[in-house]
Amino acid sequence: MPQLLAPLAAKHVHVYADAPAYDVLAANGYAAKLTRVTPDMADEVYGTEFMSYTLAVKTVENIDEALTHIRQYGSGHSEAIITESKHNAQLFQQQVDAACVYWNTPTSFTDGG
């Protein structure tokens, strides 16, 4: 995990993370620019398209929870799923209403560099 976090830390990326993600990130040494998302700030954080080195992480239990989250907070522009499950990726790509839907690929291909 630390090798995955090093590029984020090097760019001073601010990460907003729900409780499970926060705990993993903090346990792996990513705490300098890490904010735990509380229920009262979820709508603001997950409903914001950050135009900076900032990202928001929401962990989900299953594909249905992921789809519900995207329906509520998605931009309609570009959405991505990170998964090893071909079935879940295909379901995500079929059900998400966005101009571009990615599997294990950053949305920066259509969101800017």
Side-chain angles (χ1 to χ4, degrees), residues 10 21 24 26 32 36 39 41-42 45 48 55 59 65 68-69 71 74 80-82 84 90 96 102 105:
V24 169
R36 182 186 298 264
M41 62 193 290
V45 169
T48 298
L55 64 95
T59 54
E65 192 177 336
T68 297
H69 180 80
R71 283 186 198 107
I81 184 171
I82 307 300
E84 294 179 357
Q90 289 175 334
V96 168
Y102 297 105
T105 305

Side-chain angles (χ1 to χ4, degrees), residues 1-8 20-21 23-30:
M1 176 74 74
Q3 71 274 15
L4 296 175
L5 300 176
L8 295 176
D23 292 345
V24 169
L25 290 165
N28 283 280
Y30 199 88

